């Protein structure tokens, strides 16, 4: 079993900052790409940012220059530093990880989500 647990969401005013964290635990052999997705009401889930085990990053155009993704491989953790937040960043943010377990089975895992609300 593998679990992803997010933390750090909340309510912030426009222009403010939040830092999201996600910790993976359980039967983990290798964690490949980790990332953050978000889903606003009435919209599809979209990729916000992703980071490979080597540290290569990918960002949605809407967050480039404002958000920074990072990871700590020793702690199976990924972070998302969100600065200059806008009301349109309001969504439920989900952690995602591609994990290979000790049986060498690869799967895609999701956290339960954390609410980010940006007020204008």
């Amino acid at each position: 079993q593998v679990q992803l647990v997010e933390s750090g969401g909340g309510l912030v005013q426009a222009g403010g900052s939040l830092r999201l964290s996600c910790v993976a635990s359980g039967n983990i052999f290798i964690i490949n790409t980790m990332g953050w997705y978000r889903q606003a009401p009435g919209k599809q889930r979209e990729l916000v940012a992703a980071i490979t085990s080597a540290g290569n990053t990918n960002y949605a155009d809407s967050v480039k220059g404002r958000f920074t993704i990072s990871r700590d491989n020793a702690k199976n953790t990924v972070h998302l530093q969100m600065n200059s937040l806008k009301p349109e960043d309001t969504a439920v943010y989900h952690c995602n990880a591609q994990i290979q377990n000790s049986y060498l089975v690869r799967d895609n895992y999701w956290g339960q989500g954390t609410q980010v609300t940006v007020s204008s």
Side-chain angles (χ1 to χ4, degrees):
Q1 287 279 12
V2 172
Q3 273 193 319
L4 301 182
V5 178
E6 302 115 331
S7 61
L11 173 64
V12 65
Q13 288 189 332
S17 298
L18 284 173
R19 180 178 170 86
L20 305 183
S21 296
C22 172
V23 180
S25 62
N27 183 359
I28 297 170
F29 181 61
I30 295 174
I31 302 180
N32 297 308
T33 299
M34 302 185 82
W36 291 93
Y37 288 71
R38 66 186 181 187
Q39 187 166 18
K43 294 188 177 181
Q44 288 189 331
R45 187 174 294 189
E46 63 175 356
L47 173 68
V48 177
I51 183 168
T52 68
S53 57
N56 298 310
T57 58
N58 181 39
Y59 294 93
D61 287 343
S62 60
V63 307
K64 284 180 180 177
R66 300 188 298 123
F67 291 9
T68 302
I69 190 169
S70 61
R71 64 188 282 175
D72 184 336
N73 291 330
K75 297 181 179 180
N76 293 339
T77 300
V78 63
H79 305 285
L80 185 68
Q81 178 66 43
M82 305 185 293
N83 298 328
S84 303
L85 282 161
K86 303 175 180 180
E88 51 263 43
D89 294 318
T90 295
V92 177
Y93 284 69
H94 294 268
C95 176
N96 173 269
Q98 299 167 8
I99 296 174
Q100 187 172 6
N101 64 21
S102 61
Y103 304 105
L104 304 185
V105 174
R106 297 181 180 181
D107 210 338
N108 197 33
Y109 294 89
W110 292 93
Q112 80 286 355
T114 185
Q115 177 71 45
V116 171
T117 303
V118 184
S119 63
S120 58

